[in-house]
Amino acid sequence: MINSRHWIAFRTLLTREIRRFIRIWPQTLLPPAITMTLYFIIFGNLIGSRIGAMGGFSYMEYIAPGIIMMSVINNAYTNVASSLFSAKFQSHIEELIVAPIPNYLILAGYVAGGMARGLCVGFIVTIVSLFFTDLEIQHLWVTISMIILSSMMFALGGFINAIYARSFDEISIIPTFILTPLTYLGGVFYSISLLPEFWQNVSLLNPILYMVNAFRFGMLGVSDIPITTAFSIILVCIVGLTSFALYLLNKGTGIRN
């Protein structure tokens, strides 16, 4: 049960994480907006005009939800991974470890901070997308819940990455060699119905596919994946990652040793 002191500790940690990425907004908030604008220009305007309609929508409309989700995933992950590893590298993570704060609140504070950055960038990219296409939310609760769950899942992933990382180079390994390929193969820029059956089945192993399609369903009302399946898989992943992150934190992996 969370008492008043625990709540103050959580709020302080969350506030620190939010102030951290807002203070350096030219590095944390501006680059994603510029990058996603380039995606809209290159994929939406230049390539989209040659592709035509997809899923009953213009190509720009179709990829907009995926680009928004991509920005949320990348920034939620990056924020926690870089923040926690910096705390380890500068040795001030020890102050949290010895403080009378439950480990689950430490995890919650970092994850909530990552979610805050992911959702903030997602909002900025959504505003940017309105300059290129019109977006009407078809299913509000699906849209909101999926973007929150997705940011939570990848913030947890960033936390685990930071625990195992021993150098700043290892922080970039997962985003470069795993997260980026999964994102591009997660149906952001295409419908998996265009793929051969074998590759459709392979794509079903990619959790980002479920996030992108569920979010696209919330925005446009179309999806390649059953929505209940998408939510079930994401919730299972969140429970698994949370349990694993708490196990590592309680054991002191990468922190106490």
Side-chain angles (χ1 to χ4, degrees):
M1 186 174 181
I2 300 179
N3 57 39
S4 59
R5 275 186 271 181
H6 289 169
W7 168 248
I8 292 173
F10 169 76
R11 186 179 62 188
T12 302
L13 183 56
L14 174 59
T15 302
R16 188 195 70 181
E17 288 298 297
I18 293 176
R19 286 179 176 175
R20 173 181 172 273
F21 72 77
I22 289 180
R23 185 176 64 251
I24 53 174
W25 65 268
Q27 302 173 41
T28 56
L29 302 181
L30 186 59
I34 295 174
T35 301
M36 298 307 156
T37 299
L38 294 176
Y39 277 124
F40 282 116
I41 293 173
I42 296 172
F43 287 95
N45 281 342
L46 301 181
I47 298 178
S49 60
R50 297 173 180 269
I51 294 177
M54 182 172 292
F57 296 88
S58 69
Y59 189 66
M60 182 76 80
E61 287 179 290
Y62 189 83
I63 67 172
I67 291 177
I68 295 170
M69 180 58 74
M70 182 168 63
S71 67
V72 171
I73 288 172
N74 289 333
N75 284 274
Y77 189 99
T78 301
N79 191 80
V80 181
S82 60
S83 179
L84 180 58
F85 183 78
S86 295
K88 288 173 51 181
F89 183 77
Q90 298 168 5
S91 298
H92 63 76
I93 188 65
E94 298 171 0
E95 299 174 7
L96 279 177
I97 298 301
V98 300
I101 307 172
N103 284 336
Y104 69 84
L105 281 184
I106 297 176
L107 175 63
Y110 275 102
V111 169
M115 293 172 62
R117 176 174 164 183
L119 296 175
C120 185
V121 171
F123 177 76
I124 293 172
V125 174
T126 301
I127 297 301
V128 169
S129 69
L130 295 178
F131 289 94
F132 297 92
T133 186
D134 295 326
L135 292 176
E136 295 182 6
I137 298 177
Q138 302 297 321
H139 305 280
L140 182 61
W141 74 270
V142 174
T143 303
I144 295 175
S145 56
M146 183 49 64
I147 202 167
I148 290 175
L149 291 175
S150 299
S151 63
M152 182 185 300
M153 177 176 165
F154 279 91
L156 286 164
F159 190 92
I160 294 171
N161 183 191
I163 284 181
Y164 278 113
R166 291 170 295 180
S167 67
F168 282 103
D169 290 335
E170 293 185 3
I171 288 294
S172 63
I173 289 176
I174 300 296
T176 302
F177 294 103
I178 297 179
L179 188 56
T180 298
L182 287 179
T183 301
Y184 283 108
L185 298 174
V188 173
F189 300 105
Y190 60 88
S191 168
I192 63 169
S193 62
L194 300 176
L195 301 175
E197 184 178 356
F198 173 78
W199 290 110
Q200 288 186 36
N201 293 329
V202 171
S203 296
L204 295 178
L205 300 175
N206 183 355
I208 295 179
L209 176 72
Y210 298 91
M211 299 176 186
V212 170
N213 273 275
F215 188 66
R216 182 175 286 132
F217 177 81
M219 298 286 284
L220 304 179
V222 297
S223 173
D224 296 327
I225 305 294
I227 300 305
T228 53
T229 301
F231 273 95
S232 299
I233 290 176
I234 300 308
L235 288 172
V236 168
C237 290
I238 288 175
V239 171
L241 290 173
T242 301
S243 301
F244 187 52
L246 280 175
Y247 168 77
L248 295 175
L249 201 54
N250 291 333
K251 190 177 178 182
T253 303
I255 296 175
R256 292 191 174 94
N257 49 357

